[in-house]
Structures are given as C-alpha cells and as structure tokens.
Amino acid sequence: MVDNANTYGERVSRLVGWGHWFAFFNIIAAMLIGTRYITQSPWPETLLGQLYLAVSWVGHFGFLVFALYLLVLFPLTFLIPSRKLFRLVAVCFSTVGLTVLLIDTQAYQTINLHLTPVVWEVLFSDESSSLSADLQHLFIVLPLIFLLQLALSEWVWRKQRKLSHKHIGRPIAALFFVSFIASHLVYVWADAYFYNPITSQRANFPLSYPMTAKSFMERHGLLDREEYLERLKESKNETNLVKYPLEAIEFDRRSNPLNILVVSVNNLRSDALNAESMPSAFTFAQDNLNFTNHYSSSNDSYGVFGLFYGLPSSYSSSIQAQGSKPILIDTLIEKEYQFGLFSGDNFDEALYGETVFRGMNFNGIAFNDSTSSDSQAIDAWSKWVKEQGKQPWFSYVELTTVDNFNAYSNDQAQTAGEKLKAGYLKSVAQADSEISELLEQIEALDLTENTVIVVTSNHATEFNETKTNNWGSNSNYSRFQLQVPLVIHWPGKVAGEYNHRTSHLDVSVTLLQDLLGVSSNPYDFSSGRNLFDERKRRWILAGDARELALITTKNTTVIDKFGNYKLYDEDYQRLKESNPTLPVLMQGLTELQRFYVKSN
C-alpha cells in the first residue's frame, strides 16, 4: 500500500494509529503466552477467585504491553517519523519482549520464580544443565517471532483504516482499562479482609504489584482496625499449611520393638569427641556406630526440629501453627511406646513444648545444688526406666552443660578467645563425665541388648575459624557451627566408623525404616534419607526459619525463599564473583516449597 501521508503531522498521526493496533495484537499474544502462568499456578477454589484471575489476566497484560508501548515506542513516533524504520524498531522491540516473556514462563514453571537479574544470571550460568539448554532452545523461536511480527506489522499497516472504521478500538481499550482498575480494587478488598483465594495470586504474573490501601480504607471508615488486627492474628494459623507427610505412611517392613534413647549433648562440636577431651564418649563411639561426617540441620536449637521431623527449619513456623507432631512421634504413639522426656533445664526452649513434643508430658525435675542439673536429669531418667514394664519406650534426654561453657573459665591471663575455648573444653569434659554416668546407668539397667541409643547434639559452636569474627552459633552455616557427633548403639548391628556425609534429617528416616517398619519412600515425609545409605550425595541441607543452606564438598549455597543466594567456598569465604550450579539452586528452592499445600 502506498503511503500518501507526506507531511510530518500526517505521518506521525498514521504511525500513532498503527502503533495502537500493533500494541493491541501484541497484548493478545502476551495474554496467550501468559496462560502458561495460569496452568502452572493453583486453580482458585472459589468463583470470586476465578473471576479475579480472569480479570487480572486481561487487565495485567493489557496494561503491561500498552505501558511499554507508551514508554518506549510512542515517544519514538515523534523522533522516527519514517514509517519503515519505526515499524522495524517496533518489530524488534516486540520480538525481544515476547521472547523474554516466554523465558519468564519457563523459569516460573521450573523454579516458581519470575525473572530478575539474579535469576537470569543463574539460569544461563550453567550451560551443561538441562534447564539452561531448554531455556536457550527458546531463543530458536526468536526468528519465528520476528517473522510473525513483521507479518503483523504489514497486515496492520494495510488494514489500519478498515480497523478504525469498525469503531471497536475504544470498547477494547475500555475493557482493558476497566479490567486493570477492577483487579486492583478487588485486591485492595481481598488484602484488607484476608481473602486468600485472591491474595495468593499476588505473584502469578511478572511485574505484578497489586495495590493495597488499608490505611486509606481505615481513614475513610471502610476498615475497622481492631477487626483487621484480629483477622491478621487468625490468618497466621490459616496460611502456608504444610502437607506432612505428602502421602500416607505405609508399613510393609518387619518392625523391631526396641527401646529408643536419644541423648542430645547441646552445643557439642564433632571434633570435641576425641580421646583427650571426652574419653568415655570416645570409647563408646569406638565400640558402636560412629558417623564422623555428620551435620546438624540448623546452626541453632532448631537442629532438634530437623532431627525429629526430617524437614528443614523453614517449615517450623507452619508446622507449629497447624500443630503437626513428627511422624516419628506419631508412629511411636501408634505402636504404644511409653514416653520419657528429660532435660537439664526442664525444656526451657519453647521449641519443645510448642512444636516437637507438643501436647506431651515432660518429666519435670525439681533441681537442687547437690549435683549438676544434667546429672539430676540422668538420675530422674534412670528412676523412670525402672518403673517401665515390658512395654517399649522412647526417651529423650537433653544435656545442657556445654550450653553454659563460658562459666567454666576464670583465668584472667588468657585472651578472650582463649578463655572462651578453654571454658568450652572444661565444659565438654564435664559433659563427658555425665555421659559416663548415663552409660553406667544403662549397663546397670541391662538395656544394651534391647535399646537403640543415639548420642548427638543440636548444633556446634565456632571459635572464629572462618576468620569472620563469628563466635558461638547461629551466625553462619560453616562446618564449625553445623558438624556434630552422631554415635548410635544399635543391637544386632556391627560396630563401625562411617565417613560418608550424613544429616540430622536422616535420623528419623532411619529409625522409621529400620526399626519401626516404614516402607514409604523417604521423599514423602522427609528431606533426608537412611543413614546407612552410603551413596554419594550431591548436598546436605541446613538452615533456619528464613533461609536454606545447601552444603556440597566444594561450597555452600545459602538461599532465601525469594531465590536470592550467597555462595561460600569450603572454608566459608564468600565467593562474590561465582554462581551456584543451577541444579543445586533449583533443588534448594524445591525443598523450601515442596511440603507446602498449594491451594487457594
């Protein structure tokens, strides 16, 4: 078609009209690609949630594409009045935009994240990975998109006047505008009243930032603050539910109703278990199953959470909110085990009463100054065992002596670091004498042939070995804060030393499978595996309520729930110029999410 618009104003007017229609058809293309987000997101269970999804889909992509047109192409209309050059620029821009949108849909489908500079860098950093290859294959369609955009450009140019005469432009623009405004207004209401079928769709689409207006609604009497705060409190118990286990537990193995005694010597480093510092415990380790490369699942007291649940600590708040007991505990209850729970501080840590042993009775101890509180806990445990009949029992004994190690050193000639370490070693020696006392009680009670005894710790402690001014625990995920002893006395199993890497997440799996007859795949109820599975593992997990650490033999990747990461070498020194391998990043993000209920 011959362009007869000769004046500058006529050419600009024609290009503006063409640009509007070109943007409209690209909105339709973006919406079609955007259906991939819908298929990969949980389907809303309510009609209102489904209506919101449809309206936000229309409004969001309509606004997104048209806003890009106004910000980028519309100004160029006045700077590039040449129709051929402008249309070529528009075609190139739309081709790149739709290709990036396709890549974003692939990233969302695979790792449930939208593109950011960090995600983009990681996605294409590992050329050997299958996902990176899949993403790069998307670029193959780029020439096809370019050709389709060229064809669309020419078709719109030829049909522009005919399209304008149909008078459908304004109704279509009104539809997109009304959908965009309606979706945000509905979200304002849903956010204020905690309507989860809508608020859970917040991050479905890229560059989606739904509007909230609680303060505005409160000022104008549309929202009662007291009612809002009450709903906020209630909502904390309703969101982010965990499906634990993922599938019903099956019992197709032969069980062995042995007693179980778990002893946690809190704050005990793995390298403290040696002949010089802990002779009694060291001898016990030499005579039994000694896992010398064992890691806690957390650098704080939540290592106990991983020990019993077999899940990363990031699930702890949701588990606590819904009141789920560990599968290990539920199985023991089902098999009619008796429970004896003893602690050198009467379980002062809220984690025990509110989560791990929720609803269970602690064996409280009236401590006195005659001996250490841990010794008194051991005596109370011994008396409790004597009262048990032939019914199998499970007992947890928490020794807290090493938690208070700084009180054992008063040598003023030492530096602060030396004093701290000397105090720790004195405390470790004290703990060893208490373990010796416990082992003597076990022998006296004749329990060695019918009791599985697990000796470990909740976490370790660091003395600035990473040279980052870190002392104690709960400050990093180095081996100095995570590596703890694990010694197991298991009747019928041959004593030996195991050097493969193991985790607290593996302990409950092992007890359930090898002692209690569980035949289910550990994947259905844990992030760990059987302790005696010596196959090489790519990584082990640790973390807290906010983030997850994936520890390999070469480095440690720390990831938060938004996909942000930090990489450290084997000495826990930050690697700012390096990226984790994509499989490690993906597996970490999967473990952070796979037990959560995906529902609206």
Side-chain angles (χ1 to χ4, degrees), residues 162-177:
K162 188 174 182 179
L163 290 170
S164 299
H165 291 155
K166 291 183 178 295
H167 302 292
I168 59 174
R170 289 185 178 179
I172 291 173
L175 173 65
F176 288 128
F177 178 77

Side-chain angles (χ1 to χ4, degrees), residues 30 69 84 88 305 499 518 523:
Y69 164 75
K84 292 184 178 180
L88 178 62
F305 177 87
N499 299 315
V518 169
Y523 184 84

Side-chain angles (χ1 to χ4, degrees), residues 37-38 40-50 52-53 108 194-204 238-240 597-600:
Y37 298 111
I38 297 175
Q40 295 302 317
S41 301
W43 183 252
E45 295 180 355
T46 65
L47 179 60
L48 183 56
Q50 294 164 8
Y52 172 81
L53 177 60
Y108 184 79
F194 297 95
Y195 190 71
N196 195 50
I198 289 177
T199 57
S200 62
Q201 300 180 45
R202 179 183 182 89
N204 279 10
E238 297 174 355
T239 58
N240 294 328
V597 176
K598 294 183 178 181
S599 65
N600 290 324

